Amino acid sequence: MTKDISTAEPGLFQQVFYGTKPDDPKLYTRAASYYFPNSPRTFNILKIPVHAVVVQAISSPVANAVGVLSNVTADVTYYIYPNGKIYVHSVLQVAAAQTASEWRCATLGLSDPTSGDPYSGPDSTGWIRSSTTQNPYSSVSAPESYIFAYWRASTTPAPYTNFTKASVLLVPRPGNPNQGQQGRHNWGGWKRWYYGNVSLNLSARTEPGPGLPDTTRHSGEFRASEYQQQCRGEPHCPGVLRRSDATACARPRRHSPPRAASSMFH
Amino acid sequence: MVTVESTGLFRLVFEAADNWGLAQWYDLVNDPSAQTNLTGPATA
Protein backbone atom coordinates (compact mmCIF):
# COMPACT_ATOMS: atom_id res chain seq x y z
CA MET A 1 0.00 0.00 0.00
CA THR A 2 1.25 3.43 -0.87
CA LYS A 3 1.25 5.99 1.88
CA ASP A 4 1.11 9.12 -0.21
CA ILE A 5 1.20 12.18 2.01
CA SER A 6 0.28 14.40 -0.95
CA THR A 7 -3.23 12.97 -0.88
CA ALA A 8 -3.65 12.64 2.88
CA GLU A 9 -7.19 13.22 4.08
CA PRO A 10 -7.08 14.16 7.74
CA GLY A 11 -10.20 15.67 9.17
CA LEU A 12 -12.02 15.46 12.44
CA PHE A 13 -14.89 16.88 10.40
CA GLN A 14 -14.84 15.88 6.74
CA GLN A 15 -17.17 15.83 3.73
CA VAL A 16 -16.90 13.60 0.63
CA PHE A 17 -18.77 13.66 -2.67
CA TYR A 18 -19.46 10.77 -5.04
CA GLY A 19 -20.81 10.80 -8.58
CA THR A 20 -19.38 14.23 -9.33
CA LYS A 21 -16.84 15.41 -11.88
CA PRO A 22 -14.19 15.05 -10.63
CA ASP A 23 -15.43 12.06 -8.67
CA ASP A 24 -14.73 11.38 -5.01
CA PRO A 25 -13.37 14.78 -3.98
CA LYS A 26 -12.76 15.44 -0.31
CA LEU A 27 -13.41 18.78 1.26
CA TYR A 28 -10.25 18.51 3.35
CA THR A 29 -7.18 16.95 1.79
CA ARG A 30 -3.47 17.69 1.51
CA ALA A 31 -3.92 17.45 -2.27
CA ALA A 32 -5.33 20.97 -2.12
CA SER A 33 -1.91 22.43 -1.43
CA TYR A 34 0.13 19.86 -3.38
CA TYR A 35 -1.78 20.00 -6.65
CA PHE A 36 -4.11 23.01 -6.52
CA PRO A 37 -2.42 25.67 -4.41
CA ASN A 38 -4.33 28.44 -6.16
CA SER A 39 -7.77 27.01 -5.52
CA PRO A 40 -9.58 29.56 -3.34
CA ARG A 41 -9.67 28.79 0.34
CA THR A 42 -10.33 31.07 3.26
CA PHE A 43 -10.11 30.82 7.01
CA ASN A 44 -11.74 33.47 9.15
CA ILE A 45 -11.59 34.07 12.85
CA LEU A 46 -15.10 35.33 13.39
CA LYS A 47 -15.21 35.84 17.06
CA ILE A 48 -13.43 35.12 20.28
CA PRO A 49 -16.15 35.81 22.82
CA VAL A 50 -15.90 34.90 26.45
CA HIS A 51 -17.00 31.30 26.16
CA ALA A 52 -16.20 30.02 22.67
CA VAL A 53 -13.87 30.43 19.73
CA VAL A 54 -15.72 30.81 16.44
CA VAL A 55 -13.85 30.11 13.21
CA GLN A 56 -14.95 29.62 9.62
CA ALA A 57 -13.37 27.61 6.80
CA ILE A 58 -14.45 28.14 3.20
CA SER A 59 -13.11 25.92 0.42
CA SER A 60 -14.03 23.59 -2.45
CA PRO A 61 -13.57 19.81 -2.50
CA VAL A 62 -10.45 18.37 -4.15
CA ALA A 63 -9.99 14.97 -5.81
CA ASN A 64 -6.32 14.10 -5.36
CA ALA A 65 -4.35 15.36 -8.38
CA VAL A 66 -7.38 15.04 -10.66
CA GLY A 67 -9.19 18.30 -10.06
CA VAL A 68 -11.21 20.67 -7.93
CA LEU A 69 -14.99 20.54 -7.69
CA SER A 70 -14.99 24.31 -7.90
CA ASN A 71 -18.72 24.50 -8.54
CA VAL A 72 -19.23 23.53 -4.92
CA THR A 73 -18.23 25.70 -1.99
CA ALA A 74 -18.49 24.51 1.59
CA ASP A 75 -18.69 27.11 4.32
CA VAL A 76 -18.13 25.45 7.67
CA THR A 77 -18.31 27.37 10.93
CA TYR A 78 -17.03 25.88 14.18
CA TYR A 79 -18.08 27.09 17.62
CA ILE A 80 -15.43 25.58 19.87
CA TYR A 81 -16.09 25.48 23.60
CA PRO A 82 -13.43 24.98 26.29
CA ASN A 83 -15.04 21.73 27.48
CA GLY A 84 -14.55 20.03 24.09
CA LYS A 85 -17.98 20.61 22.63
CA ILE A 86 -17.86 21.81 19.04
CA TYR A 87 -20.96 23.10 17.31
CA VAL A 88 -20.58 22.78 13.52
CA HIS A 89 -22.69 24.72 11.05
CA SER A 90 -22.10 23.71 7.44
CA VAL A 91 -23.48 25.45 4.37
CA LEU A 92 -22.95 23.91 0.95
CA GLN A 93 -23.41 26.16 -2.06
CA VAL A 94 -23.21 25.67 -5.81
CA ALA A 95 -22.71 28.19 -8.57
CA ALA A 96 -24.39 26.03 -11.23
CA ALA A 97 -26.66 23.02 -11.00
CA GLN A 98 -24.95 20.18 -9.21
CA THR A 99 -25.78 16.57 -8.51
CA ALA A 100 -24.00 13.96 -6.45
CA SER A 101 -25.02 10.36 -6.02
CA GLU A 102 -23.83 10.52 -2.44
CA TRP A 103 -22.76 13.29 -0.14
CA ARG A 104 -21.06 12.12 3.02
CA CYS A 105 -22.02 15.18 4.91
CA ALA A 106 -20.36 14.65 8.29
CA THR A 107 -17.40 12.33 8.66
CA LEU A 108 -15.20 11.68 11.68
CA GLY A 109 -11.67 10.63 10.74
CA LEU A 110 -9.79 8.63 13.36
CA SER A 111 -6.18 7.48 13.30
CA ASP A 112 -6.08 3.79 14.31
CA PRO A 113 -2.92 1.68 13.86
CA THR A 114 -4.97 -1.47 14.50
CA SER A 115 -7.34 -0.86 11.62
CA GLY A 116 -7.30 -3.44 8.84
CA ASP A 117 -7.84 -2.79 5.18
CA PRO A 118 -10.53 -3.62 4.29
CA TYR A 119 -12.44 -4.39 7.44
CA SER A 120 -16.17 -4.73 7.45
CA GLY A 121 -17.09 -6.33 10.76
CA PRO A 122 -17.87 -4.58 14.02
CA ASP A 123 -14.81 -3.06 15.64
CA SER A 124 -12.99 -5.23 18.17
CA THR A 125 -9.75 -3.30 18.60
CA GLY A 126 -8.71 0.33 18.69
CA TRP A 127 -11.46 2.83 18.06
CA ILE A 128 -14.81 1.19 18.71
CA ARG A 129 -17.41 2.83 16.52
CA SER A 130 -20.80 2.80 18.18
CA SER A 131 -24.19 4.39 17.82
CA THR A 132 -27.38 5.10 19.66
CA THR A 133 -28.43 1.45 19.69
CA GLN A 134 -25.30 -0.60 18.98
CA ASN A 135 -21.92 -0.90 20.68
CA PRO A 136 -19.95 -1.80 18.69
CA TYR A 137 -21.87 -0.77 15.61
CA SER A 138 -22.69 -3.50 13.12
CA SER A 139 -25.61 -2.38 10.99
CA VAL A 140 -28.77 -0.41 11.59
CA SER A 141 -31.17 0.28 8.73
CA ALA A 142 -32.58 3.51 10.16
CA PRO A 143 -30.61 6.67 10.85
CA GLU A 144 -29.20 6.74 14.35
CA SER A 145 -29.57 9.93 16.36
CA TYR A 146 -25.90 9.97 17.32
CA ILE A 147 -22.67 8.11 16.68
CA PHE A 148 -19.57 7.92 18.84
CA ALA A 149 -16.21 6.21 19.12
CA TYR A 150 -13.92 5.38 22.00
CA TRP A 151 -10.60 3.57 22.32
CA ARG A 152 -11.04 0.16 23.95
CA ALA A 153 -7.77 -0.78 25.62
CA SER A 154 -9.06 -4.07 27.04
CA THR A 155 -9.20 -5.74 23.61
CA THR A 156 -6.45 -3.82 21.82
CA PRO A 157 -3.08 -5.59 21.63
CA ALA A 158 0.28 -4.03 22.41
CA PRO A 159 1.88 -1.77 21.43
CA TYR A 160 -1.34 0.16 20.86
CA THR A 161 -3.25 -0.83 23.97
CA ASN A 162 -3.02 2.66 25.40
CA PHE A 163 -2.79 4.59 22.14
CA THR A 164 -5.37 7.00 23.52
CA LYS A 165 -8.13 7.26 26.09
CA ALA A 166 -10.07 9.85 24.17
CA SER A 167 -13.55 9.61 22.74
CA VAL A 168 -15.61 11.51 20.22
CA LEU A 169 -19.34 11.93 19.76
CA LEU A 170 -21.19 13.30 16.71
CA VAL A 171 -24.80 14.40 17.03
CA PRO A 172 -26.78 15.80 14.09
CA ARG A 173 -29.13 18.52 15.07
CA PRO A 174 -32.63 17.06 15.50
CA GLY A 175 -34.59 17.74 12.34
CA ASN A 176 -31.47 18.18 10.24
CA PRO A 177 -32.83 17.50 6.73
CA ASN A 178 -29.41 16.38 5.56
CA GLN A 179 -28.56 14.04 8.41
CA GLY A 180 -28.27 10.97 6.22
CA GLN A 181 -27.50 7.44 7.30
CA GLN A 182 -24.59 6.31 9.43
CA GLY A 183 -21.83 4.26 7.85
CA ARG A 184 -18.27 3.03 8.42
CA HIS A 185 -15.25 3.04 6.19
CA ASN A 186 -11.73 1.75 6.78
CA TRP A 187 -8.21 1.89 5.56
CA GLY A 188 -5.14 0.39 7.08
CA GLY A 189 -4.37 2.65 10.04
CA TRP A 190 -7.50 4.71 9.67
CA LYS A 191 -11.20 4.58 10.44
CA ARG A 192 -14.08 6.73 9.31
CA TRP A 193 -17.41 6.99 11.05
CA TYR A 194 -19.91 9.11 9.23
CA TYR A 195 -23.36 10.24 8.21
CA GLY A 196 -23.80 9.89 4.45
CA ASN A 197 -25.98 8.34 1.79
CA VAL A 198 -27.44 11.75 1.05
CA SER A 199 -27.97 12.47 -2.63
CA LEU A 200 -27.61 16.01 -3.93
CA ASN A 201 -29.57 17.68 -6.67
CA LEU A 202 -28.93 21.37 -6.29
CA SER A 203 -30.14 23.91 -8.80
CA ALA A 204 -28.47 27.10 -9.86
CA ARG A 205 -30.13 30.27 -8.66
CA THR A 206 -29.11 33.84 -8.91
CA GLU A 207 -29.90 35.01 -5.42
CA PRO A 208 -27.24 34.76 -2.75
CA GLY A 209 -27.40 32.37 0.13
CA PRO A 210 -28.67 33.80 3.39
CA GLY A 211 -26.29 36.07 5.15
CA LEU A 212 -23.82 36.18 2.33
CA PRO A 213 -22.97 39.35 0.44
CA ASP A 214 -24.05 39.05 -3.17
CA THR A 215 -20.93 40.80 -4.36
CA THR A 216 -18.76 37.91 -3.33
CA ARG A 217 -21.02 34.89 -3.25
CA HIS A 218 -23.39 34.97 -6.22
CA SER A 219 -24.49 31.56 -5.30
CA GLY A 220 -26.94 28.89 -6.27
CA GLU A 221 -28.95 26.61 -4.08
CA PHE A 222 -27.50 25.79 -0.72
CA ARG A 223 -27.75 23.03 1.81
CA ALA A 224 -27.25 23.72 5.47
CA SER A 225 -26.60 21.15 8.14
CA GLU A 226 -25.71 21.32 11.79
CA TYR A 227 -23.89 19.03 14.16
CA GLN A 228 -22.39 18.88 17.56
CA GLN A 229 -19.13 17.14 18.26
CA GLN A 230 -17.80 16.30 21.68
CA CYS A 231 -14.14 15.48 22.04
CA ARG A 232 -12.86 14.50 25.42
CA GLY A 233 -10.19 12.63 27.26
CA GLU A 234 -12.36 9.87 28.64
CA PRO A 235 -14.39 7.14 26.98
CA HIS A 236 -17.92 7.44 25.76
CA CYS A 237 -19.18 3.95 26.45
CA PRO A 238 -22.31 2.37 27.86
CA GLY A 239 -23.05 3.80 31.23
CA VAL A 240 -20.61 6.61 30.63
CA LEU A 241 -22.22 8.32 27.67
CA ARG A 242 -24.29 10.99 29.28
CA ARG A 243 -27.73 11.49 27.89
CA SER A 244 -27.13 15.22 27.89
CA ASP A 245 -24.17 14.75 25.57
CA ALA A 246 -26.34 13.29 22.88
CA THR A 247 -29.38 15.47 23.27
CA ALA A 248 -27.77 18.84 23.59
CA CYS A 249 -27.20 19.41 19.90
CA ALA A 250 -28.91 22.63 19.04
CA ARG A 251 -27.81 26.18 18.68
CA PRO A 252 -24.52 27.25 20.22
CA ARG A 253 -24.94 27.14 23.94
CA ARG A 254 -25.02 30.30 25.96
CA HIS A 255 -23.93 28.61 29.14
CA SER A 256 -20.42 27.27 29.26
CA PRO A 257 -17.70 26.65 31.80
CA PRO A 258 -16.21 29.85 33.16
CA ARG A 259 -13.03 29.66 31.15
CA ALA A 260 -12.21 32.56 28.89
CA ALA A 261 -12.07 31.46 25.27
CA SER A 262 -9.59 34.19 24.51
CA SER A 263 -6.96 32.06 26.22
CA MET A 264 -7.68 29.16 23.83
CA PHE A 265 -6.53 30.79 20.63
CA HIS A 266 -2.95 30.60 19.39
CA MET B 1 -1.96 26.68 10.68
CA VAL B 2 -4.36 27.96 13.31
CA THR B 3 -4.41 26.31 16.71
CA VAL B 4 -7.25 26.35 19.22
CA GLU B 5 -6.36 24.92 22.62
CA SER B 6 -8.20 24.39 25.85
CA THR B 7 -5.36 24.14 28.33
CA GLY B 8 -4.99 20.65 29.69
CA LEU B 9 -7.98 19.33 27.74
CA PHE B 10 -7.50 19.40 23.97
CA ARG B 11 -5.72 21.04 21.06
CA LEU B 12 -7.24 21.45 17.60
CA VAL B 13 -5.26 22.55 14.56
CA PHE B 14 -6.72 23.81 11.28
CA GLU B 15 -4.28 23.56 8.37
CA ALA B 16 -4.29 25.65 5.22
CA ALA B 17 -2.40 22.85 3.47
CA ASP B 18 -5.41 20.61 3.98
CA ASN B 19 -7.89 23.12 2.54
CA TRP B 20 -8.36 24.52 6.05
CA GLY B 21 -9.55 21.25 7.48
CA LEU B 22 -9.50 20.34 11.14
CA ALA B 23 -6.41 18.24 10.59
CA GLN B 24 -5.04 17.70 14.10
CA TRP B 25 -6.69 16.73 17.36
CA TYR B 26 -4.72 16.07 20.55
CA ASP B 27 -6.12 14.78 23.81
CA LEU B 28 -4.12 16.80 26.33
CA VAL B 29 -5.70 15.03 29.29
CA ASN B 30 -3.87 11.80 28.52
CA ASP B 31 -1.29 13.11 26.06
CA PRO B 32 -0.10 16.40 27.59
CA SER B 33 2.88 16.68 25.24
CA ALA B 34 0.60 16.26 22.19
CA GLN B 35 2.46 13.33 20.64
CA THR B 36 -0.50 11.61 18.98
CA ASN B 37 -2.64 13.28 16.36
CA LEU B 38 -5.89 11.36 16.70
CA THR B 39 -7.23 12.44 13.32
CA GLY B 40 -4.27 12.08 11.03
CA PRO B 41 -2.35 11.85 8.87
CA ALA B 42 -4.85 9.56 7.02
CA THR B 43 -3.04 8.32 3.96
CA ALA B 44 -4.40 5.64 1.64
Side-chain angles (χ1 to χ4, degrees):
Chain A
M1 175 180 295
T2 302
K3 295 292 185 183
D4 183 357
I5 194 65
S6 75
T7 55
E9 302 170 12
L12 189 57
F13 182 81
Q14 173 72 281
Q15 298 186 8
V16 187
F17 303 78
Y18 295 99
T20 56
K21 294 181 180 179
D23 188 29
D24 195 14
K26 281 78 179 177
L27 182 56
Y28 303 121
T29 168
R30 188 61 52 94
S33 57
Y34 267 86
Y35 302 111
F36 304 100
N38 296 321
S39 178
R41 62 186 66 96
T42 303
F43 191 85
N44 297 313
I45 300 166
L46 298 181
K47 202 173 183 181
I48 308 179
V50 175
H51 295 308
V53 169
V54 184
V55 297
Q56 175 190 42
I58 303 172
S59 53
S60 294
V62 175
N64 296 335
V66 177
V68 179
L69 185 58
S70 54
N71 188 47
V72 173
T73 302
D75 180 336
V76 182
T77 302
Y78 303 82
Y79 301 74
I80 303 171
Y81 292 83
N83 62 1
K85 280 191 168 62
I86 307 170
Y87 170 85
V88 181
H89 179 74
S90 169
V91 177
L92 197 67
Q93 293 189 289
V94 297
Q98 179 71 55
T99 61
S101 57
E102 182 184 359
W103 174 35
R104 292 189 180 172
C105 45
T107 300
L108 300 171
L110 300 168
S111 178
D112 187 339
T114 76
S115 174
D117 179 26
Y119 182 71
S120 58
D123 293 322
S124 59
T125 62
W127 288 105
I128 306 298
R129 288 166 291 187
S130 304
S131 66
T132 313
T133 64
Q134 290 190 342
N135 179 21
Y137 181 82
S138 176
S139 178
V140 177
S141 59
E144 294 277 53
S145 57
Y146 59 84
I147 59 176
F148 63 103
Y150 62 96
W151 192 267
R152 191 165 69 190
S154 63
T155 56
T156 301
Y160 302 112
T161 303
N162 297 307
F163 181 72
T164 184
K165 296 180 181 177
S167 62
V168 61
L169 167 73
L170 179 65
V171 190
R173 185 184 181 198
N176 185 342
N178 306 307
Q179 173 178 331
Q181 172 85 14
Q182 65 281 348
R184 295 173 299 152
H185 179 244
N186 285 49
W187 297 340
W190 180 249
K191 290 179 179 176
R192 277 180 169 158
W193 193 199
Y194 64 85
Y195 284 102
N197 298 312
V198 176
S199 61
L200 289 176
N201 187 5
L202 301 176
S203 60
R205 296 193 307 203
T206 54
E207 67 270 30
L212 298 172
D214 57 7
T215 53
T216 57
R217 306 291 297 282
H218 210 62
S219 64
E221 188 172 346
F222 69 94
R223 288 285 174 87
S225 49
E226 298 173 338
Y227 308 90
Q228 179 177 290
Q229 285 183 292
Q230 169 79 62
C231 306
R232 65 186 191 194
E234 60 189 43
H236 284 114
C237 55
V240 177
L241 178 65
R242 294 176 299 194
R243 195 72 181 165
S244 59
D245 287 341
T247 58
C249 181
R251 297 291 181 187
R253 295 168 54 166
R254 293 187 176 183
H255 305 289
S256 302
R259 181 180 303 192
S262 56
S263 66
M264 297 168 60
F265 199 68
H266 302 281
Chain B
M1 293 194 298
V2 175
T3 300
V4 179
E5 180 169 324
S6 183
T7 304
L9 292 180
F10 64 87
R11 179 184 301 164
L12 303 173
V13 181
F14 296 84
E15 292 200 48
D18 294 321
N19 229 10
W20 282 119
L22 212 178
Q24 298 179 42
W25 165 36
Y26 300 96
D27 166 25
L28 301 181
V29 175
N30 302 292
D31 179 20
S33 57
Q35 296 298 301
T36 303
N37 175 13
L38 297 174
T39 192
T43 52

